[in-house]
Amino acid sequence: MTKITKHNEKAWDRKVEDQVRYTRAVDAEVIKKASAGDWSVGVTAVRQVPMDWFPAPVHTLKILCLASGGGQQGPVLAAAGADVTVFDLSAAQLEQDKRVSEREGLSLQTVQGDMTDLSVFEDETFDLIVHPVSNVFVENVRPVWKEASRVLKTKGTLIAGFMNPVLYLFDDQKEEQGKLEVAHAIPYSGLEDPVEENEAIEFGHTLEDQIQGQIEAGLLMTGFYEDDFGDGRTIDKYIKTMIATKAVKG
């Protein structure tokens, strides 16, 4: 495990303690609806994944929720009838999934690890991978796509969310004050700036690495949409900085 990985693991454990947005598990009402067939999941901040992106009736699917701890996507898909494994770097995030599954009587597996190394899984294990915005926390994103492709079955589907790197052009603190001031080049490395102990280190990957990286890993892009923070950030007024893609393994 690299220093970056160790730092981000601890940072996300602390985020769970602080109950930040992406660590808040779904409530019982969401699970009740999902069990009755009324469900949806997101891989970006606001928009939900179109239902026609799912390759088959969800109850027939073996799904990997990749870097997806927090008690959100995994429990919903499990309640809808899928065979779900949640894989995440943070033990505290995975604990959120365990709590929901125990509270609601769901069958759900959790595995702790680094999203760039899925060696715990055999080739062609999963029908579907759901990968919400999280690869901003790895320095090199291409191994994520290669490993995702490896563990997908032939004709399996990857639904992924990631950041448009334009977000990382700007000074973070100035943006919080309502000012967009270019301060960084792309690709961006969070190692360029001082990193607080309780904040995760982020990386702004090029669109070539995010999109062509999937293609070179043997994945055919078949769906695309954009999203933002729901007017939660200054940049939302000018551009949507989140992207979701659907890709199928050839």
Side-chain angles (χ1 to χ4, degrees), residues 125-150:
T125 297
F126 299 99
D127 301 295
L128 171 67
I129 295 176
V130 175
H131 177 49
V133 172
S134 54
N135 67 38
V136 296
F137 303 111
V138 295
E139 190 168 15
N140 182 1
V141 71
R142 293 213 177 207
V144 177
W145 305 133
K146 290 178 182 177
E147 281 290 84
S149 181
R150 181 185 65 78

Side-chain angles (χ1 to χ4, degrees), residues 29 55 63 69 73 86 195 214:
E29 184 62 25
I63 300 176
Q73 295 88 2
V86 181
V195 180
Q214 292 188 55

Side-chain angles (χ1 to χ4, degrees), residues 7-245:
H7 175 96
N8 283 348
E9 177 188 5
K10 292 178 181 178
W12 273 98
D13 286 349
R14 282 189 292 271
K15 287 178 185 292
V16 175
E17 293 177 12
D18 295 338
Q19 299 183 340
V20 302
R21 176 178 178 179
Y22 300 109
T23 70
R24 299 174 195 161
V26 295
D27 61 26
E29 184 62 25
V30 170
I31 297 300
K32 181 180 178 181
K33 288 182 178 179
S35 298
D38 180 10
W39 61 274
S40 65
V41 295
V43 292
T44 54
V46 179
R47 292 183 65 175
Q48 299 293 283
V49 176
M51 294 305 292
D52 62 7
W53 278 26
F54 292 87
V58 70
H59 68 271
T60 68
L61 300 176
K62 187 174 178 65
I63 300 176
L64 174 64
C65 291
L66 177 60
S68 178
Q72 297 169 8
Q73 295 88 2
V76 169
L77 293 166
D83 179 353
V84 176
T85 299
V86 181
F87 185 93
D88 201 272
L89 181 64
S90 164
Q93 280 282 76
L94 291 174
E95 192 60 34
Q96 300 291 77
D97 292 274
K98 292 177 184 177
R99 286 195 188 103
V100 177
S101 63
E102 291 170 3
R103 184 189 76 204
E104 305 297 335
L106 302 174
S107 177
L108 179 150
Q109 305 297 316
T110 61
V111 179
Q112 186 177 9
D114 180 345
M115 71 182 88
T116 65
D117 178 7
L118 303 182
S119 56
V120 67
F121 304 119
E122 295 182 359
D123 294 357
E124 302 205 357
T125 297
F126 299 99
D127 301 295
L128 171 67
I129 295 176
V130 175
H131 177 49
V133 172
S134 54
N135 67 38
V136 296
F137 303 111
V138 295
E139 190 168 15
N140 182 1
V141 71
R142 293 213 177 207
V144 177
W145 305 133
K146 290 178 182 177
E147 281 290 84
S149 181
R150 181 185 65 78
V151 302
L152 270 177
K153 297 176 184 177
T154 300
K155 304 301 181 183
T157 298
L158 168 66
I159 298 173
F162 51 89
M163 299 304 305
N164 185 324
V166 70
L167 177 72
Y168 294 96
L169 286 172
F170 304 104
D171 182 286
D172 234 9
Q173 293 181 342
K174 296 271 181 74
E175 200 229 348
E176 289 177 3
Q177 299 166 10
K179 303 173 184 177
L180 294 180
E181 182 176 301
V182 174
H184 307 289
I186 303 299
Y188 165 76
S189 170
L191 298 174
E192 298 172 9
D193 299 320
V195 180
E196 296 184 14
E197 188 177 355
N198 63 343
E199 288 298 327
I201 301 168
E202 296 190 23
F203 300 89
H205 306 294
T206 65
L207 289 177
E208 183 173 344
D209 281 344
Q210 295 282 25
I211 296 174
Q212 183 64 19
Q214 292 188 55
I215 294 168
E216 290 181 6
L219 300 163
L220 175 65
M221 202 81 56
T222 62
F224 182 101
Y225 65 83
E226 294 176 296
D227 198 6
D228 59 24
F229 292 92
D231 293 327
R233 298 185 61 156
T234 301
I235 199 169
D236 288 346
K237 300 174 184 176
Y238 304 98
I239 189 171
K240 294 183 182 299
T241 52
M242 293 184 185
I243 291 169
T245 56

